[in-house]
Amino acid sequence: SRLNSQTRAVTAQDGTLYQHFNRIVFISQMSLNGFAAKHPHLRDKCRVCHNMMDSERIRLLAAQPPEKSYFTENTCLKLVTVARLEESQKAIGRCLLAAQTLFGQGLAFEWLFVGGASPADGALYKAFVKKPGLATHVFFAGSQQTPFPYMRPADVCCLSSRSAGLSKPMCEPMTAGTPVAAPPVVCIPE
């Protein structure tokens, strides 16, 4: 099983607890299927309700200019990652390694990271970017009131999570008009 011992302990009684529910709602078909495989007697109670989004609001906010423009070149590939900048789940280091590879291959790009980071992770990421040349290609905008204006100017929104449901970070950039690149983890293919 891919579950660690703590998760197994916390979820050991799920079948007993959920049998008293009228409905059990999941944010993705893949999540429902995983639960139903473990608790087939509860499958008839299961439903999928994808994360709800106010698509019109996202489009309106994405059309606004960002508070600060980070992208400087019109001719380069513009990448954005919007996430809580932390390593254990979001694997931001994957993006930074990809940035290092792009730089090493001489490709013209700029990569903007939007989101807050813990002091430890933030220091780690900023130290990585100090490698020769990367500081002119990788930028950190920090936490923003709304990330959507930062998505719109990008060519691609890059996600790097180790696992995810059918997440808002996957759907929101597409709603804002920016394609998404993400690893095929959990529900991303869905």
Side-chain angles (χ1 to χ4, degrees):
S1 170
R2 291 176 32 197
L3 301 177
N4 65 33
S5 60
Q6 181 182 4
T7 302
R8 278 194 296 276
V10 169
T11 61
Q13 299 302 314
D14 281 1
T16 304
L17 294 172
Y18 286 121
Q19 72 185 357
H20 301 290
F21 285 41
N22 292 329
R23 294 279 179 259
I24 307 164
V25 181
F26 297 86
I27 64 166
S28 71
Q29 187 64 47
M30 196 169 210
S31 297
L32 183 153
N33 292 345
F35 179 86
K38 189 172 180 182
H39 308 288
H41 63 287
L42 298 173
R43 182 177 269 287
D44 291 341
K45 293 183 177 199
C46 297
R47 301 289 184 273
V48 173
C49 179
H50 296 293
N51 280 325
M52 293 184 274
M53 300 183 308
D54 185 344
S55 298
E56 191 55 38
R57 180 177 175 274
I58 291 170
R59 286 186 201 96
L60 272 166
L61 290 170
Q64 301 299 312
E67 287 184 30
K68 178 180 177 186
S69 179
Y70 289 87
F71 296 122
T72 60
E73 294 187 36
N74 290 327
T75 59
C76 72
L77 176 64
K78 292 178 270 314
L79 306 166
V80 66
T81 295
V82 177
R84 183 179 64 254
L85 303 183
E86 59 90 27
E87 200 55 34
S88 66
Q89 290 182 344
K90 301 303 180 185
I92 299 301
R94 290 177 178 175
C95 293
L96 294 175
L97 288 171
Q100 185 177 28
T101 300
L102 293 173
F103 179 75
Q105 293 177 351
L107 297 171
F109 76 97
E110 293 177 333
W111 202 323
L112 175 62
F113 290 85
V114 179
S118 71
D121 283 340
L124 177 73
Y125 300 145
K126 287 179 180 174
F128 186 90
V129 170
K130 286 183 180 176
K131 291 183 178 187
L134 276 184
T136 59
H137 295 277
V138 177
F139 315 101
F140 296 96
S143 285
Q144 298 296 318
Q145 185 78 17
T146 176
F148 307 118
Y150 297 91
M151 293 176 184
R152 188 74 169 165
D155 297 310
V156 178
C157 182
C158 301
L159 304 179
S160 57
S161 295
R162 297 182 194 287
S163 65
L166 188 59
S167 64
K168 286 185 176 185
M170 181 76 180
C171 299
E172 287 172 341
M174 292 187 289
T175 302
T178 304
V180 175
V185 295
V186 189
C187 301
I188 298 296
E190 188 177 319

